[in-house]
Amino acid sequence: MKIATWNVNSLKVRLPHLLQWLEANPVDVLCLQETKLTDDKFPVAEINSAGYQVAYTGQKTYNGVAILSKHPIRDVVKNNPRFEDAQQRIIAATIEGVRVVCAYIPNGQAVDSDKYVYKLAWLKALHEWLAAEMREHPQLALLGDYNIAPEDRDVHDPAEWEGKIHFSDKEKAAMAALVDLGMVDAFRMFEQPEKQYSWWDYRMMAFRRNRGLRIDHILLSTELARRCTACIIDREPRKWEQPSDHTPVVATLD
DNA sequence: ATGGCCCGTATGACGGGA
């Protein structure tokens, strides 16, 4: 079973990319972030035609998340029941016995901004909800755009990013707290090439220069991590015409 | 080099992203 995550930065623009990627990478489960579509505009028919069922929750202009699956999708929950939030950033479902939580964690914009305060409060509420969710579902995966680079090796230039948004101590601590619930960063379970990132700025030829951040992650509960045999970042779609600024992350489970 | 690009929006400028 393969599970994956991809921030598509507008599903309207990126639907052809999504279908092309799924054709070459027929994963069992794919979590999407930043669909930027109200539910009435979600491309259900196109996704069904590609062989996937789908659950989604969106809004106009911003945010929006979805879970695509080749298998039945059960017990869908939209948003964190412990956190009142107008922004559509979470969708969870049970697929083949695995609790799949798809999250678009807030960007935060700048350290100490209102959006940063919201990001940290949002992460605290996520932690509280996941603690309960993990007790109920020992096989749980948290996939998504975390907007946090956990370690120096996840940043092209740690000195340049030190203390900045995505790489501040409080954000790193919030991600470490999620790990402390009993989760493992699937990507770091395995030996990886150096300088692997999941996002590159559209500006400054950042992709060509590999000036990126690893901010899209798959955390696996201990029980699920035992089944994990591989985890990779697929840079290919970042090379395509009109790409998303993020690229997919894929984990393989036995 | 404190900017650059991309997306959506009752658009022709701006907020947000990261």
Side-chain angles (χ1 to χ4, degrees):
Chain A
M1 182 179 186
K2 289 195 176 190
I3 62 175
T5 180
W6 193 8
N7 179 326
V8 290
N9 184 17
S10 169
L11 186 52
K12 182 183 171 191
V13 174
R14 234 66 70 184
L15 182 60
H17 304 68
L18 173 68
L19 297 175
Q20 185 180 336
W21 189 79
L22 285 174
E23 182 93 23
N25 302 273
V27 296
D28 295 272
V29 175
L30 175 60
C31 296
L32 301 180
Q33 302 86 38
E34 284 207 88
T35 54
K36 299 187 178 180
L37 293 172
T38 50
D39 290 350
D40 58 305
K41 297 206 166 60
F42 198 91
V44 178
E46 290 88 339
I47 286 171
N48 287 345
S49 296
Y52 287 86
Q53 304 177 36
V54 63
Y56 49 92
T57 182
Q59 66 187 88
K60 198 170 167 182
T61 312
Y62 304 116
N63 309 309
V65 285
I67 300 176
L68 281 60
S69 172
K70 284 185 172 298
H71 313 285
I73 298 175
R74 305 185 205 285
D75 301 324
V76 173
V77 170
K78 299 172 182 179
N79 293 329
N80 178 349
R82 296 168 185 240
F83 188 77
E84 188 67 37
D85 194 359
Q87 304 187 21
Q88 302 304 302
R89 294 180 174 278
I90 289 179
I91 190 163
T94 301
I95 300 166
E96 298 288 277
V98 176
R99 191 61 176 166
V100 175
V101 181
C102 170
Y104 176 43
I105 291 171
N107 175 299
Q109 199 162 63
V111 169
D112 293 333
S113 67
D114 290 349
K115 293 192 174 69
Y116 184 74
V117 173
Y118 165 73
K119 180 177 193 172
L120 294 177
W122 196 98
L123 280 160
K124 183 169 183 285
L126 175 66
H127 181 273
E128 288 167 6
W129 173 55
L130 274 184
E133 198 74 356
M134 287 179 71
R135 283 192 288 273
E136 199 175 335
H137 307 279
Q139 297 203 48
L140 182 145
L142 175 62
L143 308 92
D145 177 359
Y146 285 56
N147 273 313
I148 300 171
E151 297 180 82
D152 283 6
R153 57 183 168 165
D154 301 316
V155 178
H156 66 87
D157 185 343
E160 179 184 325
W161 282 88
E162 188 59 47
K164 301 268 175 57
I165 196 66
H166 312 302
F167 201 52
S168 69
D169 288 343
K170 286 179 181 172
E171 293 167 274
K172 290 179 203 171
M175 182 159 169
L178 294 174
V179 170
D180 284 345
L181 287 170
M183 310 248 266
V184 182
D185 180 343
F187 189 73
R188 292 302 181 201
M189 289 175 64
F190 307 96
E191 202 162 322
Q192 302 286 359
E194 287 189 10
K195 303 184 192 308
Q196 293 283 296
Y197 310 121
S198 67
W199 169 86
W200 300 261
D201 201 306
Y202 284 121
R203 298 168 290 188
M204 301 180 290
M205 295 179 289
F207 181 63
R208 193 170 67 71
R209 299 158 68 197
N210 198 26
R211 290 172 55 87
L213 305 176
R214 192 176 72 93
I215 55 177
D216 299 88
H217 307 294
I218 299 176
L219 289 191
L220 302 174
S221 65
T222 309
E223 193 168 309
L224 204 51
R226 283 193 210 106
R227 294 174 50 191
C228 186
T229 57
C231 183
I232 59 104
I233 294 173
D234 182 4
R235 300 162 54 97
E236 277 310 306
R238 189 64 174 79
K239 303 173 185 170
W240 298 348
E241 285 295 311
Q242 203 177 8
S244 169
D245 43 358
H246 294 253
T247 197
V249 183
V250 185
T252 306
L253 306 174
D254 261 345

